Amino acid sequence: MAKTILDGAMGTMLQSLGLGIGEKPELFALRNPEAVLSVQKDYVKAGSDVLYSNTFGANRKKLEGTGISVEEAIRTNIRIARQAAESAERKIKVALDVGPIGELMEPLGILSFDEAYDIFRQMAVCGEQSGADLVVYETFTDLQELRAAVLAARENTALPVWTTMSFEENGRTFTGTDLQSMAMTLDALGVDAMGINCSLGPAEILPLMQRLRSYTDKPLIAKPNAGLPDPKTGAYFISPVEFSEGMSKISDIGVEILGGCCGTTPAFIKALKSTTTETERHPETARISGVCSAAKAVSFDKINVIGERINPTGKKKLRTALAARDMDYVKKLAMEQAQAGAAVLDINVGVPDCDEAALMKEVVQAVQSVVDLPLMIDSSDPGAIEAGLRYFCGKAIVNSVNAEDAKLESVLPIARKYGAAVVGLAMDKALPSTVEERMQHARKILKKTTEAGIRKEDLIIDALTLTISAQQDQAGNTLEAVRRITGELGLHATLGVSNVAFGLPQRNRIAASFLTMALQNGLDLPILNPNDQVMMDALATYKALSGEDRDCENYIERFSQSEEEKPQTPKSTEMTLEEAILKGLGNEARLATEKLLETTEPMEIIDKYLIPALDRVGDLYESQKLFLSQLINAANAAGKGFDLLKSRMKKSASQNKGKIIIATVEGDIHDIGKNIVKVVLENYGYQVIDLGKDVPVQTVVKRTIEEDAHLVALSALMTTTVQSMKRTIEALKESGHKCVTMVGGAVLTEEYAMAIGADYYSKDPKQSADIARRVLG
């Protein structure tokens, strides 16, 4: 198997050739093209087969105010890369290199999916017109932003698409995306290659690449840093030889595309080229059958409950909430089902007189902001189906098609485009009455989905549950059809289980028995109400008997206490402030705060309720039981309560706990981490004065003195700007103003923070709040 060798770092190389601190590399090429050309020629000489263009940050957000258009920046840098490529006698490809936009996507920030898509569309189209051979999206941490980028390229160009994300050693990105979810999602979208770049060295990336190899059969990319930064100097310290030795191990597991990121030079690429040899093609990977959200993958190799409650059929309260766009009610239904054990959530928004596609988008975005479960997009409207698939971050299920040609032709292309799994109803225009009719419809749907490019393992057949109150013999036909669909056709099966008892008393008793019978016949994706204890008890019992629940561990946990022994908690429809904050429900947090204000003073609510709730959220975040989106939602929910408390408090010094200056240092235009820390600190009651990004040293000093602030928080994401952080700290000390500095950012370690003179190092938003409390009280 031939290996493809990429290039190495660009920014640090250009700094040695005159790139100034804070200067954009993309614009540096306009005034000094020979410098960029010389770097890329050196990579060609070292053995690179693909050159990344110097366009990582050439998007309109980052170029705003420079007077240079996206088109000019991309055209110039593609031309330079092409000139370097043509200096070699062999074929060298030029990749349009695209990095993240630099702003948080909704719901964490204000950048919408559609705006991100348009930004990436502009870049991809310009790259193709300028002569790029492919587009590479690299250093992404937000899977939804990467989805927008991939769709922009695939829908508007013919360029091959390569993608790499930056992971921490725990196998998750900064925003919580895990490896399997990345692989499933990008596989679904049809990227041409995927992998990992930046953040880690070869030794740290190796186990992650081994896991990724087991999740996908796409060509894999590894572009690590030159090891980890030296804690005292911030410099990368492994040698080209050590780098190439580490990369050889990555190559040996079947990774086909290899290069270097931060800290690597042409010498690293030369060593990589000389030690990397062709290997046998890696064994075919058994692609995992399942669906995922950005943070959680659900495999179809076991029984998974699909929660049915977000469907307005027969639910007046939900219909009213959907009509009123009451997303907090929808979020509560989602969270209750997730907590009760649902693995996937069905989303149906079919209410009269609504724009179903627009409402589907809104509900999908609301639900995925509070739970990490995959979704099933349930609609008969192709426009609503596409809206749900487009805005859901992950790989979803489409519910549904049937055996009618018109239905198949309208829905299957949409499902194929987004790589979704598909539910096929074993019927055409009429309900089937026999097992064989169901089988005929299932075979036709299998044939049509295969022809449409949808994999067999992504097809789920619904054999149709009919009520025994009207057609008692149909229960047996449904069960036999499930047995044959899963056994003879080798497909997954789903059923709307509770339909069997429609019109009968004590419905869940009949439904629970039917569920057990269906599971025995091969049902693996039952659609039911996970908050129905009888149904979930029946499922837990079946899993223990079938052996899926190894050692009956979950059964014992569920049933080890009798009802009398279980702690009895009074049922209440009112949510506590802590519950509302933990669930990220802003309106509920405000209502809980109003209730507390009837008996409690505002400052007491802050100290005894609001701050402890945020502390608990922070602890859950640090233990990886909550992820970034949930952290931000919780902070925003606390903000709703805090805003109400501030409006009730008298204007006094006690209204805030102290001032904090926060800034991204000079030369660094990344402010996502800074903005997250700001939100959290504000909701702990501190007055945060945000100076923005790329803030000059003297501006930080001047504002700190003017505001009489005693805590300064500095952020840096780029290795090239850490020295700006050091100069800022030194200038603050030289000013004589009494203040403490805390620093954070992906490129920092605690040792390095201390080495540059910082008083504190913060690894995450929760630790920033702990430091603020220690310094300011």
Side-chain angles (χ1 to χ4, degrees):
M1 177 179 60
K3 302 294 182 176
T4 299
I5 303 300
L6 307 175
D7 56 14
M10 174 62 74
T12 48
M13 294 292 293
L14 292 181
Q15 277 190 327
S16 66
L17 297 173
L19 177 69
I21 293 175
E23 187 175 4
K24 300 181 189 304
E26 299 82 5
L27 304 188
F28 176 74
L30 272 66
R31 69 175 180 84
N32 199 343
E34 289 302 319
V36 177
L37 179 63
S38 68
V39 171
Q40 292 182 322
K41 280 186 173 181
D42 285 345
Y43 280 124
V44 169
K45 292 174 184 175
S48 295
D49 301 309
V50 179
L51 291 177
Y52 283 24
S53 63
N54 180 35
T55 52
F56 181 85
N59 67 68
R60 62 176 180 250
K61 290 279 188 180
K62 290 185 177 179
L63 294 180
E64 188 176 9
T66 65
I68 302 299
S69 69
V70 170
E71 288 75 14
E72 184 178 0
I74 289 178
R75 277 197 305 268
T76 299
N77 281 288
I78 291 287
R79 185 175 65 249
I80 294 169
R82 178 62 63 197
Q83 187 177 347
E86 291 174 353
S87 68
E89 293 182 0
R90 68 187 193 282
K91 171 66 175 176
I92 308 291
K93 290 184 178 180
V94 172
L96 172 69
D97 184 31
V98 180
I101 293 168
E103 295 185 4
L104 280 172
M105 296 273 290
E106 292 176 338
L108 303 182
I110 61 172
L111 180 65
S112 72
F113 183 91
D114 292 332
E115 184 180 8
Y117 172 91
D118 194 56
I119 289 169
F120 290 124
R121 178 203 56 77
Q122 180 185 24
M123 297 181 74
V125 168
C126 183
E128 184 177 50
Q129 292 173 346
S130 300
D133 297 303
L134 67 150
V135 58
V136 174
Y137 295 113
E138 66 164 338
T139 326
F140 280 69
T141 59
D142 186 334
L143 186 60
Q144 187 72 321
E145 185 180 10
L146 184 53
R147 287 185 71 253
V150 171
L151 285 168
R154 287 181 59 79
E155 292 178 352
N156 297 280
T157 77
L159 295 175
V161 178
W162 293 3
T163 62
T164 55
M165 298 189 77
S166 293
F167 286 85
E168 299 173 10
E169 285 188 75
N170 63 10
R172 290 191 181 270
T173 70
F174 171 64
T175 60
T177 294
D178 74 340
L179 278 164
Q180 190 171 353
S181 291
M182 178 194 78
M184 269 193 184
T185 301
L186 298 177
D187 251 341
L189 291 179
V191 302
D192 297 283
M194 69 176 80
I196 301 172
N197 83 292
C198 203
S199 71
L200 301 169
E204 295 76 27
I205 277 183
L206 175 60
L208 302 183
M209 295 304 301
Q210 289 171 323
R211 287 171 52 193
L212 186 56
R213 177 76 286 163
S214 71
Y215 297 146
T216 178
D217 57 7
K218 295 282 187 185
L220 294 187
I221 306 168
K223 208 170 191 281
N225 293 341
L228 297 176
D230 185 286
K232 294 182 179 179
T233 66
Y236 294 93
F237 57 85
I238 70 171
S239 69
V241 171
E242 291 169 317
F243 179 83
S244 65
E245 289 172 351
M247 293 299 286
S248 292
K249 295 177 183 177
I250 292 174
S251 174
D252 289 343
I253 63 171
V255 178
E256 300 94 327
I257 306 169
L258 306 160
C261 202
C262 299
T264 61
T265 66
F268 283 74
I269 302 305
K270 184 177 181 180
L272 172 62
K273 179 76 171 180
S274 65
T275 57
T276 304
T277 58
E278 293 188 10
T279 59
E280 293 183 7
R281 172 71 183 175
H282 70 270
E284 196 68 21
T285 301
R287 299 176 71 170
I288 295 171
S289 171
V291 290
C292 68
S293 66
K296 180 177 287 186
V298 171
S299 174
F300 287 169
D301 63 356
K302 62 180 182 179
I303 299 165
N304 293 291
V305 169
I306 300 175
E308 68 181 7
R309 293 181 63 198
I310 305 178
N311 184 328
T313 305
K315 301 182 182 76
K316 183 178 179 180
K317 192 171 182 180
L318 178 57
R319 285 201 306 271
T320 301
L322 289 172
R325 300 298 199 270
D326 179 3
M327 291 301 119
D328 267 9
Y329 181 72
V330 175
K331 290 176 183 178
K332 284 173 63 178
L333 292 180
M335 287 186 286
E336 287 170 1
Q337 293 182 93
Q339 188 173 358
V344 179
L345 297 184
D346 183 71
I347 306 294
N348 183 306
V349 298
V351 293
D353 302 319
C354 79
D355 180 340
E356 191 175 347
L359 184 55
M360 179 66 80
K361 171 185 173 182
E362 188 173 355
V363 169
V364 164
Q365 290 180 323
V367 169
Q368 69 181 354
S369 74
V370 293
V371 298
D372 60 1
L373 300 183
L375 301 184
M376 182 161 76
I377 308 303
D378 183 356
S379 177
S380 59
D381 177 358
I385 290 172
E386 175 142 26
L389 295 179
R390 191 170 190 84
Y391 295 101
F392 173 62
C393 184
K395 177 184 174 183
I397 304 173
V398 171
N399 185 13
S400 58
V401 298
N402 59 33
E404 293 180 77
D405 288 333
K407 188 72 172 178
L408 292 163
E409 290 166 6
S410 65
V411 174
L412 291 185
I414 299 171
R416 176 66 184 89
K417 174 181 176 180
Y418 295 96
V422 176
V423 171
L425 304 180
M427 61 175 287
D428 50 19
K429 293 180 180 179
L431 289 171
S433 59
T434 67
V435 174
E436 193 52 46
E437 284 182 87
R438 289 173 167 87
M439 293 300 295
Q440 287 175 0
H441 295 318
R443 291 188 190 100
K444 178 178 177 179
I445 294 169
L446 173 58
K447 179 176 182 291
K448 292 294 186 180
T449 52
T450 302
E451 290 172 354
I454 295 169
R455 299 179 307 179
K456 179 179 178 179
E457 55 266 36
D458 282 336
L459 178 58
I460 306 158
I461 296 295
D462 185 339
L464 302 170
T465 306
L466 306 180
T467 176
I468 61 170
S469 65
Q471 295 172 288
Q472 195 166 9
D473 63 322
Q474 286 303 309
N477 286 345
T478 297
L479 294 173
E480 175 63 11
V482 168
R483 185 188 67 78
R484 291 182 60 185
I485 286 164
T486 56
E488 293 178 19
L489 300 184
L491 300 175
H492 300 291
T494 187
L495 290 173
V497 177
S498 62
N499 293 344
V500 74
F502 184 78
L504 294 172
Q506 299 289 319
R507 287 181 62 182
N508 59 2
R509 294 181 182 275
I510 292 177
S513 294
F514 181 69
L515 171 63
T516 302
M517 296 169 74
L519 293 170
Q520 183 63 27
N521 280 279
L523 177 69
D524 53 358
L525 289 159
I527 302 172
L528 52 84
N529 176 3
N531 298 105
D532 186 324
Q533 185 173 329
V534 174
M535 298 291 285
M536 296 302 282
D537 284 352
L539 178 61
T541 303
Y542 176 82
K543 286 185 175 182
L545 288 168
S546 68
E548 181 176 312
D549 179 8
R550 297 294 300 272
D551 300 322
C552 302
E553 182 178 336
N554 294 323
Y555 181 89
I556 292 168
E557 182 180 353
R558 187 177 183 89
F559 297 109
S560 59
Q561 291 179 308
S562 68
E563 290 302 314
E564 293 76 17
E565 293 172 321
K566 290 178 181 178
Q568 298 297 311
T569 55
K571 291 185 178 180
S572 172
T573 57
E574 293 181 352
M575 194 175 288
T576 66
L577 181 57
E578 179 177 320
E579 289 171 336
I581 290 172
L582 282 170
K583 293 180 178 180
L585 298 176
N587 290 340
E588 297 291 341
R590 186 178 179 87
L591 289 173
T593 304
E594 287 178 345
K595 184 71 174 176
L596 285 170
L597 280 168
E598 294 174 6
T599 57
T600 313
E601 289 297 313
M603 284 306 300
E604 187 178 351
I605 293 173
I606 291 173
D607 291 335
K608 291 188 177 180
Y609 296 93
L610 198 147
I611 298 300
L614 282 173
D615 284 344
R616 187 174 175 207
V617 169
D619 291 340
L620 291 170
Y621 174 73
E622 286 190 330
S623 62
Q624 295 184 11
K625 294 177 180 176
L626 293 180
F627 299 108
L628 184 63
S629 61
Q630 295 158 307
L631 174 71
I632 297 299
N633 286 332
N636 288 334
K640 294 285 187 181
F642 193 67
D643 288 343
L644 178 60
L645 294 172
K646 287 194 290 186
S647 70
R648 300 287 180 90
M649 290 191 293
K650 294 179 180 178
K651 300 292 183 182
S652 67
S654 63
Q655 190 166 339
N656 69 73
K657 297 186 173 184
K659 292 180 180 179
I660 301 174
I661 297 286
I662 191 167
T664 301
V665 298
E666 185 173 12
D668 203 317
I669 58 173
H670 300 87
D671 63 355
I672 289 177
K674 170 186 70 66
N675 292 342
I676 293 168
V677 170
K678 176 188 174 184
V679 170
V680 173
L681 290 174
E682 285 179 335
N683 288 300
Y684 269 88
Y686 299 101
Q687 181 184 350
V688 181
I689 300 161
D690 185 0
L691 304 186
K693 55 191 175 183
D694 190 15
V695 183
V697 172
Q698 289 308 313
T699 300
V700 176
V701 175
K702 182 172 180 290
R703 289 299 302 279
T704 301
I705 295 171
E706 288 175 351
E707 297 290 346
D708 193 26
H710 299 290
L711 178 58
V712 178
L714 301 174
S715 173
L717 185 68
M718 301 163 61
T719 55
T720 55
T721 58
V722 175
Q723 291 305 310
S724 294
M725 183 178 279
K726 181 180 180 182
R727 288 196 301 273
T728 304
I729 293 169
E730 290 171 347
L732 284 167
K733 290 180 178 179
E734 291 169 3
S735 73
H737 181 72
K738 187 178 179 181
C739 67
V740 168
T741 56
M742 70 172 170
V743 299
V747 296
L748 293 174
T749 63
E750 185 167 11
E751 283 184 274
Y752 188 43
M754 298 302 103
I756 63 174
D759 297 297
Y760 292 97
Y761 163 71
S762 173
K763 66 178 181 179
D764 57 42
K766 169 61 167 57
Q767 197 166 57
S768 297
D770 291 341
I771 293 166
R773 190 154 39 191
R774 198 175 308 153
V775 174
L776 301 176

